[in-house]
Structures are given as C-alpha cells and as structure tokens.
Amino acid sequence: CVCVCVQLFSFFLFVVVLLLCSLGAALLKGEGEAMALYVEEGRRIPRRGEIGLTPDQITHHEDLGYVMSGSRNLRMEAVRLRKENQVYEANNKRQIALMHQQHREKKNNEVVAAMREFLDKRQKQIERSRQ
C-alpha cells in the first residue's frame, strides 16, 4: 500500500513538473500556455488578425484570395514560426518525458509484482516447513 502511494505521488509530481515546464523565453506571459492549448486540441494556432475566426473560416478566406495580416510581413512570420516551434518542441518534450515515465512505472510495477510473487512463494514454503 505504501509503495503504491509513493508511486502515485511521484507520478503526480512528475506531471505537475511537466505542466510547469517552460514553453520558451521569447514568449509573452500566458502566450505559450494559450498556444499550447491549441496544440493539445490539435487545432491550428491562430495568427494575428485571425482571432475570433474558426479554422474553417480562415481557410475559406485564404481560398478566396485574402491574405491574413500575419502572413504579409516576413519578420512577423518568422517570429510566429519560432514561437510556434517553441510550443511544439515543448509539447514533444513533455510527451516524450511522459512516455518515459510510463515506461519506468510499468517496469517498476513488474519488479514489484515479481517481488510479491517471490515473497508469497517463500511465505508458503516457510508455512509448509513449519507443519
């Protein structure tokens, strides 16, 4: 019971650390978290001038030939790409770390199960020898 509680606590602590992980130094306060929400939901990160529009509306406007204001300026486009890449990289690092944590938990659970099995067998041997 104590071993399970310690494992759960370490897992939750690990998740909290991942959530507090930095999304990048070039992002404004709250900007990285907002962008990360779009990434987690699998949605397109809106650019300048696109706030309030759905991705379908944006695609429709672009198909009609409209150029969104964030796509005009090369420097703004470069900054946007860098910020988006920071968010994507942080998200990938978080997923990889979570995968490694799950692998470690699985490995630890197998070791604990093997140890319990060994102890149960040993306990039964001891009980048989006493009889």
Side-chain angles (χ1 to χ4, degrees):
C1 183
V2 173
C3 183
V4 173
C5 291
V6 169
Q7 288 177 347
L8 284 175
F9 178 74
S10 66
F11 177 73
F12 288 122
L13 182 63
F14 177 75
V15 170
V16 169
V17 169
L18 284 179
L19 292 175
L20 296 175
C21 180
S22 173
L23 292 171
L27 300 175
L28 300 173
K29 183 178 180 182
E31 185 179 24
E33 289 83 6
M35 292 171 92
L37 287 175
Y38 283 99
V39 172
E40 287 175 12
E41 294 173 1
R43 295 174 28 202
R44 180 179 186 266
I45 299 172
R47 301 176 189 148
R48 182 176 170 218
E50 298 174 353
I51 305 295
L53 299 175
T54 65
D56 295 331
Q57 290 173 325
I58 294 166
T59 304
H60 176 71
H61 290 308
E62 288 176 343
D63 290 343
L64 290 175
Y66 290 101
V67 177
M68 304 309 262
S69 63
S71 300
R72 276 191 183 147
N73 189 328
L74 292 178
R75 278 179 64 188
M76 283 178 59
E77 185 74 6
V79 168
R80 180 193 61 79
L81 284 172
R82 188 181 75 240
K83 288 181 178 185
E84 285 182 6
N85 286 336
Q86 284 179 342
V87 172
Y88 287 127
E89 286 174 14
N91 190 38
N92 288 341
K93 286 180 184 178
R94 195 176 303 129
Q95 289 175 348
I96 289 170
L98 186 59
M99 184 179 68
H100 285 268
Q101 176 67 18
Q102 290 171 346
H103 179 70
R104 278 192 299 266
E105 291 290 326
K106 182 181 175 185
K107 193 174 180 181
N108 286 342
N109 289 338
E110 290 173 357
V111 169
V112 168
M115 183 61 81
R116 283 184 182 155
E117 184 179 332
F118 170 76
L119 291 174
D120 288 341
K121 286 181 182 178
R122 187 72 178 142
Q123 184 69 28
K124 288 178 184 177
Q125 287 176 352
I126 292 172
E127 288 174 2
R128 284 186 201 143
S129 66
R130 287 184 183 171
Q131 293 175 353

